[in-house]
Amino acid sequence: MLKIRNLHAKIEGKEILRGIDLDVKAGEIHAIMGPNGSGKSTLASVLAGNEAFEVVEGSVEFNGKDLLDLSPEDRAREGFFLSFQYPVEIPGVSMTNFMRTALNEQKKYRGEAPLSASDFLKLMRDRKQLVDIDSDLTNRSVNEGFSGGEKKKNEIFQMAMLDPKLAILDETDSGLDIDALRIVANGVNKLRRPDNATILITHYQRLLDHIVPDFVHVLYKGKIVKSAGKELAYELEKNGYDWIKKEME
Amino acid sequence: MQLSEHDIALQRLFAENRELIEKDAAPEVNAAREGAMEAFSKLGIPSSKVEAYKYTNLQAWFKAGYTQAYGLNGATSEALKQFECNVHELDSYTLFTVNGKFVAGSNVEALPDGVEAGSFAELSKKHPELLKRYYGSLAKVEEDGFVALNTLFATDGIFIYVPKGKVVEKPIQVVNVLTGEQDLMVNQRNLIVVEEQAQARVLFCDHTMSMSRFVVNTVTEGHVAESAMLDFYNLQNQHNGTVQVGAYHFDQETRSLLNANYFTLHTGVARNNIFSRLGGPHAENHISGLYVIDKNQHVDNFSFINHAVPDCESNELFKGVMDDASTGAFTGRIFVAPDAQRTNAYQSNNNLLLTENAKMNTRPQLEIYADDVKCSHGATVGQLDEHAMFYLRARGISKEEANILLMYAFAYEVIEKIQVPALKEQIRELVEKRFRGELDKCDSCVVCGQLGTGRVKSE
Amino acid sequence: MASEQDKLLEEVTNREYQYGFHSDIEMDVLPKGLNEEVIREISRRKQEPEFLLEFRLEAYRNWLKMESPDWAHLKIPEIDFQDMIYYAAPKKKPQLNSMDEVDPELRATFDKLGIPLDEQKVLAGVAVDAIIDSVSVKTTFRETLAEKGIIFCSFSEAAREYPDLVKKYLGSVVPPGDNFFAALNSAVFSDGSFVFIPKGVRCPMELSSYFRINTMNTGQFERTLIVAEDDSYVSYLEGCTAPMRDENQLHAAVVEIVTLDRAEVKYSTVQNWYPGNKEGKGGIYNFVTKRGICKGDYSKISWTQVETGSAITWKYPSCVLMGNNTVGEFYSVALTNNYQQADTGTKMIHLGKNTRSLIVSKGISAGKSQNSYRGLVKVSKKADNARNFSQCDSLLLGDKCGAHTFPYLEINNPSAKVEHEATTSKIGEDQIFYCNQRGIDTEDAVGLIVNGYVKEVINQLPMEFAVEAQKLLQISLEGSVG
């Protein structure tokens, strides 16, 4: 589904990603871990098409298409979803209007008919239930006045609405209390299907207790330096990142 | 101050037509002309060298060459039937003026007992004491050349009176129509009096019906007495051959509430002078404006919020979107008098420039003479937030659509302040259409659904 | 509580002006009044080259046609420009080689001022150009600087020794007809400092000048010109004091700064001219034009000012951001007390591409004073990607003073991002109470809070200056809580 080869990217002249290689297949859950500043969030931003970052080298193939060649919206329409680490507040744009516009534009791209207002509202209700989100979230402006936890839950709700093929969750677990974490994790698990995939970017083992990854990768200084099964996460939790740093230097 | 040749011509015009001007006007209105004459001879029409008019030069427009709107120029209530004037689903009392003169009202007989809304000339006969007390009490001729000019030439306008304790639930809608085959100058005068514990919602909408050039100078005075409430809306949707100076002077007493909202969706050159005096403790006001302009349009909102006494609160929000080669200007002065302690005053002006030829000049100002105050102002000029833009695009929304959504969201903060749901919905729709380019910008009266008049070439 | 605070307020705000002594130094003065002959005489006494005289006369003729500006939020009494002395110099004209040769009275004056003119202060690494009334008295460290090719001398000397440089840059930022007071200065300026930093040189020490008005009825019109060539850097400090006098004295200075490619100039002022007594009698009228031009790409000019003195301050240190990627900064603390009036701020004129400016202004009003911020941010049509952020805060101490904010934002380019924020408030009673509860008395608490309030600006000053500025602020208002 996703093939990253030798990906290099920089921001304001500083190279952050220094040759990433990663393969993600349908049905898989990958976790990317690593110390602060290792480039985890940069990877997510680059894949989503944030123009602040410049790709200097490498390629990314997404379902046979050159991802780097697409605009951010076309990446989304191809089924790529980013759960933002810091979801943006957009006062004045209602969640309903926002989601409806997003969903129908994606449908248009795929040559499908747009949803009618009533079908759309039905879908909203349905998805809210699926991810356990209380209704008042959707009657407000996008993320405006949301608590940290609400914002993250809102990201998962949007993911449920848009039904992506590949979702990257950028530190979706950080700042969440245990209940919110469970809601987020349940949402992700319920949305899991053999034909979609998820990449979890996280700091902590905690999330991985709720969403069990098939692979764990360690990112360090802009490179994936270690890949293994879920047991690697436990090892990191126990020993920290120092042993990896030592191994590298 | 040296008068320009245009000023002198205007003086002469007045002298020559004084009889005609004074014929049907109320004695109180006529009595004010002497003072206006003297003031105008000192002030004239302000040039852009006058600090308050730094960003808008109106001298070129105000000259004697126009036909003066003493009469109705052929427009009668009969002629108005060609357009239906009501805000979609807005149940209101409606009044019409044509070229500054009251011509017809619908539904006004249903107004609550004692509440008056109608011709300035007519109602002044019924309530001469009100006129005597309030006419020219806020808009002082010696403070502004345009007020002086208006007081000199004014004959009629709209007079709204809500006596003590009366609550008018439905909005009173005043439709000001400009029409005629010749270029025209109009000096309209309005007076709103809301007595103790009374409440009213007043909606003024200004628009044009023919292609001629219109030079309009309106003065509206509004008194909001103790514990009274006034909700005031002004909607401008005129062709780009219109030049309008609108002065709005409000005075508020103890525990009164004023909401004043200004929407400029299309015009030629528009200048709003908004003065509000908080004259009794615990008075509160919310003054806001939205200007969405393009081509060579020019909009200048000038406001002066006067905290004359302690314990009042003011909130001011103006937002603008400038497209093509349009220019916007904003001046907002918050004045806190000595000893006006425990004042809360907030002001904000935000602007989007869409093209390289659009311009914005903004002057938020604080003038504060009391120490126990919380005052702030902020002003920004810039573009749409790029983080929000990316967030929308990352959800699959195209750049164009995201643009419209964000511009709309930008404007919504002002629209949200409208207290009349049907009107809010109307404006909301209109602004969105406007951003989508679906609305031919001066196609029709936005509020009234009046047929389009096309565009007048700007000079 | 309130009355106790009032008492404290009075105690502190009534404090005497610490620098208000007068020195008996023999002066060589021209008679009162201004005309072309006086200007020629000034030029003659200073043995100036011809072009300077021409410059002066052109300015004078401009000035005659101009009117004193009236747009500021100031009440300026009529100034009689004929009832004023335009030239006063210490008679024993010092051509000195060592500190011992300096007139003892003068040295005592400097000692009282705390000017680092002696050997101890030499260690602090400060080079000083001291100006009493109109003439530069002594410049220290000349040799050290000369080794690096840096010129730091009095303006008169520069006019004689480096006429080409002076001719090239004088009036290039503030033309002789720029405004009423700049024109007056251009006509009659008597001395000032000249700084030239050659290509690639980083000035190894802070350059400093002290101004002091001594003689009665003297106008002080110093002229400072700073030129920083490609890749150079200098930090320049200016301090000002004046003796106490009942009459008002006029100070109308002009400072011009030019930075070429990648050069940086930091200009810091601590202005403590005599503010008048507590009834508002006497004090300096401070009408100053300061402007820098970032001519070369990637160059930077940063103004920092701490204004505590003068009866009237009219001053807008500005940056013309002409080169691409240039940066302008303005940090200001303006404090007014008693009957002082200040109308001060900055202009940031964005002309080049990718230019940035930052404005941080902190006003403090006490007594019956009026304190205004006035600033312009202008983005011209071609100035793509200009950025400005302005933060202008006002603090009111007492209910008889005024604090005002008058920014102008004129934006003619859609890629600009310009933000202005301003707040006005008084010192939080809860903050003071919190300090009291921790055992800090009200006076110290106010000092603490005000210091915190102005910190962002003070931090921009070099260390010794920052300490002095803080002391000045303490003296000027500590405890002023109404």
Side-chain angles (χ1 to χ4, degrees):
Chain A
M1 179 178 282
L2 183 73
K3 253 188 228 151
I4 305 177
R5 291 290 175 272
N6 191 31
L7 183 65
H8 290 254
K10 60 183 182 182
I11 185 165
E12 285 166 6
K14 201 178 157 214
E15 189 165 22
I16 309 286
L17 301 184
R18 302 153 184 259
I20 302 266
D21 291 287
L22 183 67
D23 284 279
V24 177
K25 294 193 184 68
E28 292 176 351
I29 293 183
H30 290 244
I32 297 179
M33 304 181 77
N36 279 329
S38 56
K40 303 191 296 290
S41 287
T42 300
L43 177 61
S45 292
V46 166
L47 292 179
N50 190 333
E51 280 150 14
F53 296 91
E54 188 194 342
V55 175
V56 264
E57 216 186 316
S59 66
V60 181
E61 201 186 295
F62 180 54
N63 288 329
K65 288 202 170 140
D66 180 359
L67 189 76
L68 301 177
D69 207 31
L70 299 175
S71 67
E73 54 269 35
D74 282 350
R75 295 180 198 202
R77 291 162 184 175
E78 288 289 341
F80 178 89
F81 181 90
L82 170 63
S83 165
F84 282 64
Q85 186 180 2
Y86 304 109
V88 182
E89 295 190 13
I90 312 178
V93 176
S94 74
M95 266 308 292
T96 312
N97 192 8
F98 168 62
M99 266 296 98
R100 197 171 167 203
T101 308
L103 191 66
N104 282 339
E105 288 230 359
Q106 298 206 12
K107 280 187 174 297
K108 197 166 84 189
Y109 183 81
R110 294 194 293 262
E112 297 166 22
L115 279 185
S116 71
S118 64
D119 285 349
F120 174 77
L121 289 174
K122 203 165 146 271
L123 182 71
M124 287 264 281
R125 268 199 305 277
D126 182 51
R127 298 283 109 168
K128 268 188 301 203
Q129 251 166 16
L130 181 76
V131 292
D132 262 335
I133 294 201
D134 28 5
S135 61
D136 67 335
L137 211 66
T138 48
N139 290 331
R140 291 147 70 183
S141 288
V142 178
N143 292 324
E144 190 191 26
F146 285 29
S147 71
E150 278 178 321
K151 281 183 185 165
K152 296 298 173 71
K153 283 194 269 178
N154 191 15
E155 294 291 290
I156 300 305
F157 163 69
Q158 291 178 36
M159 176 175 150
M161 286 294 293
L162 299 173
D163 191 22
K165 295 194 181 92
L166 174 66
I168 295 192
L169 275 56
D170 188 3
E171 308 233 355
T172 302
D173 53 332
S174 62
L176 289 190
D177 62 36
I178 189 70
D179 290 333
L181 185 72
R182 200 173 294 127
I183 288 172
V184 166
N186 283 344
V188 173
N189 287 330
K190 278 185 197 160
L191 293 169
R192 184 175 185 182
R193 288 199 311 262
D195 63 339
N196 65 18
T198 308
I199 298 173
L200 307 168
I201 290 179
T202 181
H203 233 65
Y204 309 105
Q205 154 65 24
R206 203 167 68 128
L207 179 68
L208 307 183
D209 287 340
H210 299 274
I211 310 172
V212 183
D214 303 303
F215 302 96
V216 174
H217 312 276
V218 177
L219 194 61
Y220 181 61
K221 288 192 172 168
K223 277 186 180 165
I224 289 179
V225 295
K226 222 173 184 57
S227 296
K230 65 185 176 213
E231 66 285 352
L232 178 57
Y234 292 105
E235 206 173 336
L236 289 168
E237 180 78 359
K238 214 166 67 195
N239 303 323
Y241 291 104
D242 285 353
W243 62 279
I244 289 186
K245 289 183 194 170
K246 264 189 212 120
E247 239 172 62
M248 293 310 301
E249 260 134 47
Chain B
M1 148 105 218
Q2 190 80 31
L3 288 191
S4 73
E5 52 173 311
H6 297 321
D7 295 335
I8 293 162
L10 282 166
Q11 282 178 317
R12 197 180 315 123
L13 189 69
F14 172 72
E16 284 163 5
N17 293 284
R18 185 162 186 172
E19 210 176 311
L20 190 62
I21 294 165
E22 295 196 335
K23 205 176 83 190
D24 296 321
E28 292 80 4
V29 173
N30 287 336
R33 295 191 211 278
E34 282 302 321
M37 207 147 44
E38 199 193 322
F40 190 76
S41 69
K42 284 186 189 135
L43 296 165
I45 298 299
S47 75
S48 54
K49 282 186 186 139
V50 174
E51 180 73 6
Y53 288 88
K54 186 177 163 81
Y55 297 123
T56 303
N57 191 353
L58 291 156
Q59 269 190 333
W61 307 110
F62 281 81
K63 45 194 182 193
Y66 304 99
T67 305
Q68 291 284 322
Y70 309 131
L72 291 181
N73 288 71
T76 61
S77 53
E78 213 38 44
L80 291 169
K81 282 186 182 158
Q82 67 173 281
F83 72 112
E84 262 172 50
C85 193
N86 46 32
V87 169
H88 186 57
E89 288 173 7
L90 177 65
D91 186 9
S92 70
Y93 309 100
T94 313
L95 303 161
F96 300 98
T97 73
V98 173
N99 300 342
K101 292 250 185 194
F102 173 78
V103 291
S106 67
N107 215 13
V108 284
E109 64 285 348
L111 277 163
D113 219 18
V115 177
E116 308 274 12
S119 151
F120 208 88
E122 201 55 39
L123 288 173
S124 64
K125 287 179 195 144
K126 213 165 163 183
H127 297 285
E129 75 293 345
L130 289 176
L131 199 59
K132 200 167 171 196
R133 187 165 157 202
Y134 292 119
Y135 185 77
S137 67
L138 300 177
K140 305 271 193 212
V141 289
E142 59 274 13
E143 284 168 13
D144 186 301
F146 286 108
V147 172
L149 181 75
N150 177 283
T151 310
L152 205 54
F153 282 93
T155 54
D156 200 15
I158 296 293
F159 189 175
I160 294 168
Y161 171 57
V162 188
K164 190 171 175 179
K166 294 284 176 191
V167 174
V168 187
E169 302 272 0
K170 286 196 265 183
I172 299 169
Q173 189 186 357
V174 178
V175 182
N176 297 312
V177 177
L178 297 168
T179 186
E181 296 311 309
Q182 285 160 311
D183 293 354
L184 189 73
M185 181 185 286
V186 175
N187 285 283
Q188 183 175 336
R189 191 75 182 214
N190 306 307
L191 181 61
I192 303 168
V193 177
V194 187
E195 288 190 341
E196 289 86 343
Q197 291 150 42
Q199 294 186 9
R201 302 203 141 109
V202 178
L203 160 60
F204 274 60
C205 85
D206 303 328
H207 48 88
T208 45
M209 257 176 82
S210 66
M211 303 271 282
S212 316
R213 175 170 294 290
F214 297 106
V215 175
V216 189
N217 178 26
T218 310
V219 173
T220 302
E221 294 174 285
H223 294 266
V224 191
E226 191 173 327
S227 304
M229 188 206 86
L230 173 64
D231 231 7
F232 180 87
Y233 303 93
N234 180 247
L235 302 165
Q236 272 183 306
N237 193 47
Q238 302 152 322
H239 67 55
N240 57 4
T242 313
V243 176
Q244 178 159 22
V245 180
Y248 304 87
H249 292 255
F250 295 103
D251 186 43
Q252 288 184 254
E253 288 170 32
T254 307
R255 274 186 295 279
S256 63
L257 174 64
L258 167 71
N259 296 308
N261 309 272
Y262 298 84
F263 294 90
T264 306
L265 297 174
H266 200 276
T267 188
V269 176
R271 160 79 176 211
N272 288 320
N273 289 321
I274 303 156
F275 292 80
S276 135
R277 180 176 178 274
L278 295 130
H282 304 289
E284 180 183 327
N285 69 36
H286 300 264
I287 295 177
S288 63
L290 175 67
Y291 37 104
V292 180
I293 50 174
D294 59 5
K295 310 227 169 46
N296 290 314
Q297 297 177 48
H298 177 94
V299 173
D300 183 355
N301 281 295
F302 181 96
S303 67
F304 190 106
I305 312 295
N306 179 356
H307 283 262
V309 299
D311 297 304
C312 293
E313 181 175 327
S314 66
N315 296 278
E316 197 180 0
L317 172 69
F318 277 82
K319 288 193 154 192
V321 180
M322 268 62 64
D323 201 349
D324 298 335
S326 62
T327 50
F330 172 80
T331 302
R333 173 82 60 108
I334 294 173
F335 177 91
V336 178
D339 303 322
Q341 301 295 5
R342 297 171 301 282
T343 289
N344 288 331
Y346 308 101
Q347 179 197 80
S348 172
N349 174 232
N350 309 106
N351 301 283
L352 295 177
L353 293 183
L354 301 184
T355 71
E356 59 181 41
N357 291 318
K359 288 183 186 133
M360 182 68 205
N361 296 314
T362 172
R363 293 183 294 177
Q365 304 178 331
L366 301 172
E367 186 175 354
I368 292 164
Y369 297 94
D371 64 333
D372 191 2
V373 299
K374 285 196 192 101
C375 299
S376 70
H377 68 203
T380 59
V381 181
Q383 312 79 43
L384 296 169
D385 180 47
E386 57 204 44
H387 298 293
M389 182 67 90
F390 178 65
Y391 190 74
L392 292 174
R393 291 178 70 192
R395 291 292 174 263
I397 298 172
S398 71
K399 210 170 169 178
E400 294 69 33
E401 187 64 26
N403 239 315
I404 291 164
L405 265 178
L406 289 176
M407 276 200 286
Y408 171 72
F410 174 81
Y412 192 69
E413 204 186 342
V414 180
I415 298 171
E416 213 174 22
K417 293 184 179 284
I418 300 175
Q419 308 281 322
V420 183
L423 178 63
K424 185 196 269 183
E425 183 51 29
Q426 182 86 356
I427 299 278
R428 196 197 63 69
E429 231 171 71
L430 223 65
V431 169
E432 192 177 338
K433 269 190 188 162
R434 178 66 204 278
F435 287 136
R436 285 187 187 287
E438 287 169 8
L439 182 79
D440 187 359
K441 292 150 191 172
C442 71
D443 203 24
S444 62
C445 166
V446 294
V447 183
C448 312
Q450 177 217 338
L451 291 175
T453 54
R455 262 175 221 125
V456 172
K457 270 207 167 139
S458 61
E459 281 178 10
Chain C
M1 171 97 174
S3 71
E4 199 178 308
Q5 284 181 351
D6 285 346
K7 226 168 62 196
L8 269 172
L9 169 72
E10 253 189 46
E11 222 170 84
V12 170
T13 54
N14 286 353
R15 211 168 271 181
E16 287 298 313
Y17 181 62
Q18 210 188 349
Y19 301 95
F21 54 87
H22 162 77
S23 320
D24 282 319
I25 304 169
E26 258 195 283
M27 296 301 254
D28 178 18
V29 296
L30 276 183
K32 279 181 184 175
L34 183 58
N35 52 49
E36 282 205 14
E37 198 35 56
V38 167
I39 291 165
R40 286 176 196 283
E41 185 57 32
I42 293 172
S43 192
R44 198 172 308 130
R45 290 204 186 185
K46 299 173 76 64
Q47 301 155 37
E48 285 176 355
E50 184 63 25
F51 81 87
L52 256 187
L53 177 63
E54 283 310 313
F55 179 83
R56 288 174 184 278
L57 291 172
E58 186 198 337
Y60 177 68
R61 285 163 199 151
N62 274 318
W63 180 74
L64 285 175
K65 285 181 249 156
M66 298 169 101
E67 276 172 29
S68 184
D70 59 357
W71 40 258
H73 192 85
L74 299 169
K75 285 195 184 105
I76 306 170
E78 187 90 9
I79 299 170
D80 184 354
F81 291 95
Q82 294 306 334
D83 188 32
M84 201 176 291
I85 298 167
Y86 288 88
Y87 183 83
K91 222 168 207 162
K92 291 180 197 157
K93 192 141 194 225
Q95 287 287 334
L96 311 175
N97 294 313
S98 88
M99 291 301 297
D100 305 334
E101 294 173 44
V102 175
D103 183 335
E105 270 285 342
L106 193 58
R107 284 203 56 192
T109 303
F110 284 151
D111 285 346
K112 279 190 224 170
L113 286 172
I115 293 182
L117 203 69
D118 54 23
E119 287 300 317
Q120 283 179 346
K121 297 291 166 74
V122 166
L123 293 171
V126 181
V128 178
D129 186 20
I131 298 168
I132 283 210
D133 284 342
S134 303
V135 171
S136 176
V137 182
K138 179 78 190 136
T139 310
T140 58
F141 277 104
R142 291 269 307 262
E143 292 78 31
T144 327
L145 295 172
E147 279 167 26
K148 296 211 165 229
I150 295 170
I151 303 170
F152 178 39
C153 63
S154 75
F155 198 91
S156 320
E157 225 175 315
R160 288 192 300 269
E161 287 173 30
Y162 314 100
D164 291 346
L165 278 176
V166 171
K167 195 171 177 181
K168 184 169 176 190
Y169 292 108
L170 178 71
S172 69
V173 190
V174 181
D178 188 80
N179 67 65
F180 183 79
F181 293 105
L184 178 64
N185 172 287
S186 300
V188 303
F189 69 88
S190 23
D191 216 333
S193 305
F194 176 74
V195 178
F196 177 83
I197 316 288
K199 261 184 196 168
V201 172
R202 220 185 137 79
C203 184
M205 60 188 75
E206 315 272 353
L207 301 184
S208 166
S209 75
Y210 261 80
F211 299 108
R212 180 172 166 81
I213 298 179
N214 212 27
T215 312
M216 270 167 114
N217 301 328
T218 321
Q220 177 150 336
F221 308 94
E222 81 272 358
R223 184 106 195 175
T224 302
L225 176 58
I226 300 174
V227 178
E229 285 200 327
D230 295 356
D231 301 290
S232 67
Y233 167 86
V234 66
S235 165
Y236 187 88
L237 320 175
E238 172 202 276
C240 329
T241 55
M244 271 160 45
R245 295 201 185 281
D246 281 352
E247 302 80 18
N248 296 103
Q249 287 169 287
L250 179 64
H251 175 248
V254 171
V255 176
E256 296 179 278
I257 301 175
V258 180
T259 53
L260 304 184
D261 287 354
R262 296 168 301 278
E264 180 178 348
V265 173
K266 209 170 143 61
Y267 193 106
S268 312
T269 307
V270 174
Q271 185 262 113
N272 183 32
W273 298 115
Y274 178 50
N277 69 9
K278 61 179 195 277
E279 276 82 43
K281 203 165 165 46
I284 303 291
Y285 293 165
N286 190 29
F287 298 95
V288 175
T289 304
K290 293 185 170 178
R291 193 178 305 154
I293 181 164
C294 288
K295 215 168 183 173
D297 293 350
Y298 293 94
S299 66
K300 175 177 174 181
I301 293 176
S302 178
W303 298 100
T304 304
Q305 61 174 25
V306 175
E307 304 278 318
T308 62
S310 296
I312 299 176
T313 299
W314 178 99
K315 182 181 171 190
Y316 316 91
S318 304
C319 299
V320 180
L321 303 171
M322 194 168 110
N324 294 332
N325 302 83
T326 51
V327 178
E329 291 176 346
F330 174 74
Y331 296 91
S332 170
V333 172
L335 184 155
T336 54
N337 199 351
N338 298 319
Y339 285 88
Q340 276 177 275
Q341 305 178 65
D343 194 294
T344 184
T346 183
K347 288 188 209 172
M348 294 291 173
I349 313 291
H350 293 256
L351 300 176
K353 296 189 197 318
N354 309 317
T355 49
R356 283 181 290 141
S357 64
L358 173 70
I359 299 171
V360 178
S361 164
K362 305 278 179 180
I364 303 162
S365 322
K368 291 172 179 161
S369 66
Q370 299 297 331
N371 196 333
S372 304
Y373 166 81
R374 184 180 306 275
L376 168 69
V377 175
K378 188 175 177 111
V379 177
S380 72
K381 207 169 149 89
K382 295 205 169 125
D384 293 345
N385 302 316
R387 295 285 175 270
N388 162 268
F389 179 75
S390 309
Q391 176 76 47
C392 304
D393 297 326
S394 301
L395 195 63
L396 288 145
L397 308 176
D399 57 2
K400 299 282 182 288
C401 47
H404 320 297
T405 316
F406 306 110
Y408 295 64
L409 282 62
E410 302 183 357
I411 314 305
N412 299 325
N413 184 304
S415 61
K417 270 208 183 114
V418 176
E419 289 174 70
H420 170 93
E421 284 174 14
T423 61
T424 303
S425 56
K426 68 172 190 170
I427 280 195
E429 268 155 21
D430 49 345
Q431 293 171 319
I432 293 178
F433 177 74
Y434 189 81
C435 293
N436 290 157
Q437 206 286 320
R438 296 286 182 269
I440 301 162
D441 68 28
T442 301
E443 187 173 316
D444 286 345
V446 171
L448 273 177
I449 294 162
V450 168
N451 268 331
Y453 171 74
V454 301
K455 197 169 190 161
E456 205 182 339
V457 175
I458 300 288
N459 279 348
Q460 296 298 319
L461 292 170
M463 186 65 103
E464 310 89 83
F465 242 42
V467 173
E468 187 182 344
Q470 258 166 354
K471 266 195 283 181
L472 263 178
L473 289 171
Q474 299 277 347
I475 290 164
S476 305
L477 65 55
E478 213 172 41
S480 324
V481 177

